[in-house]
Amino acid sequence: MSFQTELQNVVSQVDGAVACSVMGFDGITVETVQANEQTSGELELSTTWVEFANILTQLKNAAQVLKTGGVNEVSIHAENVVTLMRLVSPEYFLVLALKPDGNFGRGRFALRVAAPKVKAEL
Amino acid sequence: MSFQTELQNVVSQVDGAVACSVMGFDGITVETVQANEQTSGELELSTTWVEFANILTQLKNAAQVLKTGGVNEVSIHAENVVTLMRLVSPEYFLVLALKPDGNFGRGRFALRVAAPKVKAEL
């Protein structure tokens, strides 16, 4: 199955969305949809996301020893990009990159809606 | 100087706040204010925060090689607790723990307002 439709939905409904992907915790991107606007050169998203996937893996492992319960969602606000990650399954997660002035609340909502749909296709 | 007032402000203005601290990137808590409600036993916040401080340090370091720019804010939504962290200086950050149904948007706002005040006292 293709996740293209779900990812396209997320990107098109969130103001300031740069790209949305399904990624594995091994750092490999399963599928990506980029916004139409010219963004290449500004950010090396793939490198960034591999790094962030690594962080998310650590959080997932930390949650097993801490009493926080499972980690569902992580957001990282950097100067040039806001990154939202949402767990889909123990192996996969959704990641959405937004411009710093993008609609963060809407992005969270869109990922929350998309996650079960993507999970159903895995 | 004491950060007690700023931390108390954050805790009292955010619905569902559990505790707010000034922490160093070395994992040492400078000061903490806890909400009045009984929360002990539910969460070992100090252990959790040391773990999260470690994650934040990695993100800070990663930002130096990535083109994301400096990381200002990180949030981690786990089943039992939502943790918000906001950079105050290269050595210190604010951390706020919320109940999962706490007011996340208000928490982000409160930390954004508190950060420069705390920085001025460092």
Side-chain angles (χ1 to χ4, degrees), chain B:
Chain B
M1 276 299 188
S2 165
F3 312 110
Q4 199 83 17
T5 316
E6 302 308 336
L7 300 180
Q8 187 61 57
N9 264 346
V10 172
V11 167
S12 57
Q13 78 181 269
V14 180
D15 272 352
V18 174
C20 189
S21 291
V22 179
M23 273 188 89
F25 277 100
D26 53 7
I28 295 170
T29 306
V30 180
E31 186 126 25
T32 299
V33 168
Q34 289 205 291
N36 291 328
E37 301 168 53
Q38 173 73 26
T39 50
S40 63
E42 286 178 25
L43 278 169
E44 288 172 22
L45 282 179
S46 55
T47 322
T48 307
W49 288 1
V50 169
E51 191 70 37
F52 288 177
N54 179 30
I55 300 277
L56 195 54
T57 305
Q58 289 179 52
L59 280 171
K60 207 163 61 104
N61 296 340
Q64 289 167 0
V65 288
L66 302 170
K67 290 178 180 169
T68 58
V71 171
N72 298 317
E73 192 187 318
V74 173
S75 60
I76 300 166
H77 297 250
E79 273 168 58
N80 306 327
V81 65
V82 174
T83 309
L84 264 161
M85 295 180 280
R86 188 170 184 94
L87 248 76
V88 171
S89 77
E91 287 86 29
Y92 298 98
F93 62 98
L94 279 166
V95 54
L96 171 65
L98 297 171
K99 294 179 189 171
D101 59 353
N103 192 334
F104 174 68
R106 183 77 190 182
R108 287 186 67 209
F109 175 76
L111 287 194
R112 203 179 309 155
V113 171
K117 295 182 187 167
V118 168
K119 188 176 184 177
E121 293 188 34
L122 282 171

Side-chain angles (χ1 to χ4, degrees), chain A residues 14-91:
Chain A
V14 181
D15 273 352
V18 175
C20 189
S21 291
V22 178
M23 272 189 89
F25 277 102
D26 52 8
I28 294 170
T29 307
V30 181
E31 185 127 24
T32 299
V33 167
Q34 289 205 293
N36 291 328
E37 301 166 54
Q38 173 73 25
T39 50
S40 63
E42 286 178 22
L43 277 170
E44 287 172 22
L45 282 179
S46 55
T47 322
T48 307
W49 288 1
V50 169
E51 190 71 37
F52 287 178
N54 178 31
I55 300 278
L56 195 54
T57 305
Q58 287 180 53
L59 280 170
K60 208 164 62 107
N61 296 340
Q64 289 168 0
V65 289
L66 302 171
K67 291 177 180 171
T68 56
V71 171
N72 299 317
E73 192 187 316
V74 173
S75 59
I76 300 166
H77 296 250
E79 272 168 58
N80 306 328
V81 64
V82 174
T83 308
L84 264 160
M85 296 179 280
R86 188 170 186 93
L87 248 75
V88 171
S89 77
E91 288 85 30

